[in-house]
Amino acid sequence: MSEAPLLTATGLHLSFGDNHVLRGIDLEVRRGEVVALIGPSGSGKTTLLRSLNGLAAPDAGTVAFDGGPSVTFDGGPRRAWGRAGRRAQAARDALRDRSAMVFQHHHLFPHLTVLQNVTEGPVQTRCVPRAEAESRALGLLERVGLADKRDAYPRELSGGQQQRVGIVRALALQPDLLLFDEPTSALDPELVGEVLTVMKELAEEGWTMVVVTHELQFARAVADEVLFLDDGAVVERGAPSTMFSAPREERTRRFLHQVLHPLD
């Protein structure tokens, strides 16, 4: 695993009106590392993830990707990334070109087949020849057990199958960084395992991943670092072995106990 961070975020603040969603978040992600973001609903996890991918623009702080130019947000009314200057534009483009996001609710195009859903991104945004994109897509669908669904439409798939297609769609872009926004939270419990299995295999293959998740056993088993967020701030961070067995902060201990032992 490389020591130089692939992604660095420093002092991120973001507000929606009077709601201060991010309060000075610092984050480093190195190549081959899996970082899990855990915490109660409304703690800022998804907003942080969207800020890392350029889908949201913080009010303050900096974001830098793979040694390239950093974006500095300087407060005041929140600005779109594209209006923050050439350096910001270059950094945003690097983030968007070299990262891919898997959403909670799949967001597959309902009018396209599975194969079309996977190939449109590389063809339209990466200018990959369609034949090459389809060949790559079929290989990826094969590895997640969905090659036989290439001509199916999203409505014909189970929730777990749709989410696996969402993961394949992200992989087809050949990103340096994979971002997962609670990828199992919309699934029936019996379908969660098939998605987590794919994600665990990706981690074992060395993919760099930031995962917002409420699946704490998955975070314990797969993550290199776990960040516990509450009220827009990082309350505690550390290796899973420490975070789940001997958390330092009372707020972390209380959250983990409530989630892991809800009937106690």
Side-chain angles (χ1 to χ4, degrees), residues 97-110:
D97 289 346
R98 297 172 60 186
S99 66
M101 194 161 179
V102 179
F103 297 92
Q104 178 178 347
H105 293 289
H106 324 310
H107 292 307
L108 301 179
F109 295 110

Side-chain angles (χ1 to χ4, degrees), residues 4-261:
L6 176 66
L7 177 71
T8 302
T10 305
L12 295 184
H13 288 262
L14 193 155
S15 297
F16 297 107
D18 295 332
N19 185 14
H20 201 164
V21 182
L22 300 182
R23 302 172 181 267
I25 299 287
D26 296 333
L27 175 70
E28 285 189 349
V29 184
R30 290 171 171 77
R31 287 190 180 275
E33 188 174 44
V34 178
V35 176
L37 307 179
I38 67 172
S41 298
S43 60
K45 305 183 299 297
T46 292
T47 301
L48 173 58
L49 204 69
R50 292 174 63 86
S51 296
L52 299 179
N53 195 38
L55 295 175
D59 299 311
T62 62
V63 176
F65 186 77
D66 199 18
S70 62
V71 186
T72 298
F73 299 97
D74 55 5
R78 192 165 63 255
R79 301 180 299 179
W81 280 69
R83 298 175 59 189
R86 290 184 178 180
R87 286 173 59 85
Q89 182 76 36
R92 186 203 66 175
D93 289 347
L95 277 168
R96 290 183 173 176
D97 289 346
R98 297 172 60 186
S99 66
M101 194 161 179
V102 179
F103 297 92
Q104 178 178 347
H105 293 289
H106 324 310
H107 292 307
L108 301 179
F109 295 110
H111 62 290
L112 299 181
T113 66
V114 165
L115 183 61
Q116 291 168 337
N117 263 282
V118 175
T119 57
E120 281 306 296
V123 171
Q124 298 299 328
T125 67
R126 301 288 197 271
C127 298
V128 176
R130 187 166 295 276
E132 179 182 337
E134 289 184 353
S135 176
R136 183 190 305 166
L138 289 172
L140 291 169
L141 290 170
E142 178 71 33
R143 66 166 290 178
V144 301
L146 292 176
D148 61 329
K149 302 295 185 180
R150 55 173 289 175
D151 296 321
Y153 289 89
R155 64 180 179 273
E156 299 172 315
L157 305 178
S158 70
Q161 290 171 332
Q162 290 185 50
Q163 193 60 291
R164 280 186 282 160
V165 173
I167 294 173
V168 166
R169 181 177 59 182
L171 294 176
L173 296 171
Q174 298 184 310
D176 292 296
L177 176 65
L178 284 167
L179 304 172
F180 292 85
D181 184 15
E182 299 197 40
T184 61
S185 64
L187 300 179
D188 292 335
E190 63 187 20
L191 301 177
V192 169
E194 64 187 62
V195 174
L196 294 182
T197 296
V198 173
M199 294 173 62
K200 185 174 184 292
E201 291 172 351
L202 294 176
E204 292 170 347
E205 292 171 11
W207 286 84
T208 308
M209 302 160 60
V210 179
V211 184
V212 172
T213 184
H214 62 275
E215 300 289 343
L216 300 189
Q217 297 300 339
F218 170 82
R220 187 202 296 260
V222 174
D224 297 288
E225 184 179 38
V226 179
L227 275 65
F228 171 60
L229 278 67
D230 188 37
D231 196 26
V234 177
V235 175
E236 187 168 351
R237 69 181 76 207
S241 57
T242 301
M243 286 284 290
F244 291 104
S245 61
R248 299 184 305 274
E249 301 296 330
E250 172 58 28
R251 179 66 184 97
T252 312
R253 290 194 292 270
R254 189 165 68 250
F255 171 80
L256 291 175
H257 183 81
Q258 290 172 340
V259 175
L260 296 174
H261 308 284

